[in-house]
Amino acid sequence: MTVRLYLDSVFLMQLFLNCMVLSIVKMQLGISLSHRRIWLTAVALSGLYAGIFLLPFSLIQAEVTATAVSFLGLGGFFLPARYRRHWRRMLIYVLADTLVASGILRIIMNWWYALTGGMPGLWVFLTCALALYEIVAQASQHYKKSRARHIYPVTILSAGQRRQVLALYDTGNELTEPLSRRPVCLVEEELLAGLTLENPLFFRAIPFHTVGCDEGLLYGIEVPELLIDAEDGVHSVKEVICAGVSKPLSPRGNYQMILHPGIF
């Protein structure tokens, strides 16, 4: 039996699969990796995968070799040195997510075939979709970075009360509520003192750890609404968790609140 393979289709299929798997693994590991690194890894592994089929191997030998090269390449290309301790978890995630991604890819292929009656153009479509996703992701990242270290006027609203503060938009704030994983903003305690809450039963102890090795617990409350006066208009953010801190957040008093980058 003769099996005919089109290497351009093999490369594009593997590229799409690798990008999907690596993006999922990145989220599962909870590590910060650039989209550029994901793309370079996906392209390098896809090229190696397609090139193996040019060697004098049987189909089974080629598949086994290509799979081994892909897994070995992941540790070298994908994970930076500071994240290498996660390699066991990464391989487990890759094994599981490859099955999921393969199933998603098969659904897309079946859908495309049912819609068009053939496969030509599918990989071009998927590659364009990946490129569009990358453009949107980079634009979003650039927009968030443009806000970094900006100070915005913020109004805290609760049960008819209003508190005016200045807030620092800090992309380094990764504090989250441990149960719901909702983002947490930091506010000086004196600004929260005496604030009437619409949901007085909502109270959370939030563990924290800083770069300077300070750690402990902060009390958190749910503020019904924040009005953030940013460059592109006033943003209304509902049900924001705020944690009170006893020390001034800014030594010079430039701001009294630190916004979490995930709230707007």
Side-chain angles (χ1 to χ4, degrees):
M1 181 179 68
T2 302
V3 178
R4 179 176 296 177
L5 290 176
Y6 295 93
L7 291 184
D8 55 345
S9 294
V10 171
F11 174 81
L12 290 174
M13 179 182 68
Q14 198 65 22
L15 175 66
F16 181 78
L17 184 67
N18 285 335
C19 284
M20 187 187 303
V21 171
L22 294 177
S23 297
I24 296 173
V25 171
K26 170 190 171 183
M27 291 186 290
Q28 289 172 322
L29 290 175
I31 57 180
S32 57
L33 290 175
S34 66
H35 292 279
R36 181 181 301 175
R37 193 178 192 96
I38 291 178
W39 272 89
L40 290 176
T41 304
V43 169
L45 295 182
S46 300
L48 289 173
Y49 187 91
I52 287 173
F53 289 95
L54 296 174
L55 300 176
F57 290 161
S58 66
L59 182 60
I60 295 178
Q61 290 174 329
E63 282 286 0
V64 171
T65 305
T67 303
V69 167
S70 294
F71 280 111
L72 292 175
L74 284 172
F77 291 111
F78 181 59
L79 283 182
R82 63 184 182 278
Y83 294 130
R84 293 286 163 79
R85 63 184 183 277
H86 299 296
W87 70 271
R88 285 192 180 90
R89 288 173 57 202
M90 183 199 70
L91 291 182
I92 293 173
Y93 287 146
V94 168
L95 284 170
D97 295 334
T98 299
L99 296 177
V100 175
S102 299
I104 295 174
L105 189 58
R106 183 175 294 276
I107 292 172
I108 294 174
M109 292 171 66
N110 291 339
W111 169 80
W112 183 274
Y113 189 84
L115 188 65
T116 64
M119 298 309 293
L122 172 61
W123 306 117
V124 175
F125 169 77
L126 292 178
T127 304
C128 290
L130 281 174
L132 179 62
Y133 166 77
E134 175 67 15
I135 292 172
V136 173
Q138 290 292 344
S140 176
Q141 188 175 15
H142 175 74
Y143 180 64
K144 285 188 175 182
K145 284 184 178 180
S146 67
R147 285 180 168 175
R149 311 304 297 178
H150 282 198
I151 296 176
Y152 300 115
V154 174
T155 303
I156 302 174
L157 301 177
S158 180
Q161 294 179 299
R162 302 169 67 94
R163 299 284 171 87
Q164 303 285 342
V165 300
L166 292 176
L168 174 70
Y169 184 91
D170 184 10
T171 55
N173 178 16
E174 299 180 352
L175 188 63
T176 57
E177 200 272 329
L179 296 178
S180 64
R181 309 305 299 173
R182 291 166 60 187
V184 176
C185 297
L186 300 175
V187 188
E188 294 180 3
E189 282 182 347
E190 60 183 23
L191 294 172
L192 298 179
L195 189 67
T196 303
L197 300 178
E198 294 181 2
N199 184 8
L201 297 178
F202 185 93
F203 180 86
R204 292 288 185 270
I206 302 171
F208 73 93
H209 180 81
T210 64
V211 176
C213 297
D214 294 331
E215 56 185 7
L217 291 174
L218 299 173
Y219 75 87
I221 62 173
E222 184 177 280
V223 173
E225 184 177 8
L226 293 182
L227 297 179
I228 304 171
D229 189 2
E231 302 96 333
D232 53 347
V234 177
H235 295 257
S236 174
V237 187
K238 306 288 186 181
E239 299 176 350
V240 180
I241 300 177
C242 293
V245 294
S246 57
K247 298 180 181 179
L249 293 173
S250 171
R252 299 182 180 180
N254 295 332
Y255 52 88
Q256 303 81 41
M257 184 177 186
I258 295 180
L259 296 174
H260 193 288
I263 67 170
F264 85 108

